[in-house]
Amino acid sequence: MTTHDLPLGRHVAYPSGYDASLLYPIARTLGRAALGIAADDALPFIGMDRWHAYELSWLDLRGKPVVATMTLSVPADTPNLVESKSLKLYFNSFNASRFADVAAVRARIADDLSRAAGGAVTVADGVPAAADDRDAVLLDGLDIAIDHYGPPDAGLLHGDDDDIADETLRSDLLKSNCPVTGQPDWASVRIAYRGPRIDRAGLLRYLVSFRDHAEFHEQCVERIFVDLLARCRPQALSVEARYTRRGGLDINPWRATPGCTPPMPARDPRQ
């Protein structure tokens, strides 16, 4: 058997020069329609999609390679999300292209992504430090049986109106699949809320019910937010998922009720 016969990823012809046309925007309305959010509806959440880029390189004006990391922030109210593989290919198009300095690269990325997303994308140098999740209760040690792995079942979510809580819950067991490639997407999810106490066993079963589900990262987080808001009726709700890195990129969607403070930029230990 030769390597050509193996069921491995096929060869991809990477671009030989900078090419913004590689970015592939996808209308957010496609995923939101499945959640009952019409194109002309006011969004029930605020938020952003924060990307960490670890494998970014270009040539300086004398042809010497430069390497860097960057953090990209895409507002949740932009019309489009950007498909992750297209973003990887786009970043690879910088590898053999010359730029005056890091500021020129940063400005070019911000301009290109803003056009693709349909709104202002911010780009900053570097990636954040490791997260400190000591304030969050980890659900993964719950002694429960689980036998449902998809589709996501909002019926598993329950809130106790007689017991009002203000807490942060966390799980490392969120896993879904990419709807384009079928590859697994792994994440840690952090849910902060104030309102009827959420049944922890039901919440963990609900998060695990994404395991065989195919949906983009951003759409999964919006589904979790919408289902929790409808089923558990919190007065305040924040949902952040930190997905593990693939192809030098990780994505961290955050959605929250208006008025919530954005979480501090942070990287999960698995990122």
Side-chain angles (χ1 to χ4, degrees):
M1 178 181 287
T2 69
T3 56
H4 297 292
D5 300 317
L6 296 174
L8 303 175
R10 301 306 181 209
H11 176 76
V12 175
Y14 283 101
S16 58
Y18 161 75
D19 186 358
S21 72
L22 292 166
L23 292 170
Y24 189 82
I26 296 174
R28 294 188 189 271
T29 53
L30 298 176
R32 288 171 180 171
L35 301 178
I37 304 173
D40 55 353
D41 286 349
L43 294 177
F45 46 70
I46 58 172
M48 73 179 93
D49 306 321
R50 190 173 60 246
W51 295 79
H52 302 143
Y54 300 88
E55 299 174 8
L56 186 57
S57 183
W58 63 91
L59 305 178
D60 69 15
L61 295 182
R62 299 175 64 190
K64 181 181 177 181
V66 182
V67 295
T69 58
M70 291 189 182
T71 297
L72 328 170
S73 297
V74 185
D77 60 0
T78 54
N80 305 315
L81 59 86
V82 179
E83 196 276 325
S84 61
K85 187 169 184 179
S86 79
L87 186 56
K88 295 165 196 169
L89 291 171
Y90 165 74
F91 281 145
N92 272 291
S93 79
F94 284 74
N95 290 345
S97 300
R98 301 190 182 205
F99 293 88
D101 53 28
V102 66
V105 174
R106 189 172 57 242
R108 182 64 56 87
I109 292 172
D111 186 57
D112 291 341
L113 287 179
S114 294
R115 260 197 231 104
V121 173
T122 59
V123 180
D125 296 333
V127 294
D132 181 356
D133 285 325
R134 285 176 294 180
D135 63 326
V137 177
L138 182 65
L139 302 177
D140 301 350
L142 291 175
D143 185 15
I144 59 173
I146 300 178
D147 58 8
H148 179 72
Y149 307 105
D153 184 3
L156 295 166
L157 297 171
H158 303 283
D160 184 352
D161 291 327
D162 296 323
D163 186 4
I164 301 303
D166 188 345
E167 63 180 0
T168 301
L169 306 175
R170 179 172 68 86
S171 174
D172 296 329
L173 301 185
L174 180 61
K175 179 254 180 195
S176 54
N177 297 316
C178 173
V180 175
T181 66
Q183 294 297 304
D185 294 323
W186 308 91
S188 296
V189 62
R190 181 183 170 97
I191 297 164
Y193 75 96
R194 184 179 69 256
R197 187 175 297 277
I198 295 173
D199 176 69
R200 294 178 180 179
L203 175 59
L204 186 58
R205 289 190 175 100
Y206 167 75
L207 294 174
V208 172
S209 75
F210 280 78
R211 198 167 180 83
D212 292 334
H213 180 63
E215 201 166 36
F216 291 117
H217 308 72
E218 301 93 331
Q219 295 168 351
C220 287
V221 172
E222 291 183 2
R223 183 179 295 277
I224 293 169
F225 177 90
V226 167
D227 286 347
L228 280 169
L229 196 66
R231 299 286 303 186
C232 300
R233 304 170 303 282
Q235 286 80 54
L237 175 63
S238 170
V239 179
E240 180 189 23
R242 302 173 187 150
Y243 282 85
T244 58
R245 197 184 315 179
R246 181 134 44 94
L249 288 169
D250 67 49
I251 183 172
N252 306 265
W254 169 67
R255 302 293 184 269
T257 48
C260 284
T261 302
M264 289 294 293
R267 287 188 293 120
D268 189 79
R270 292 191 295 164
Q271 295 179 312

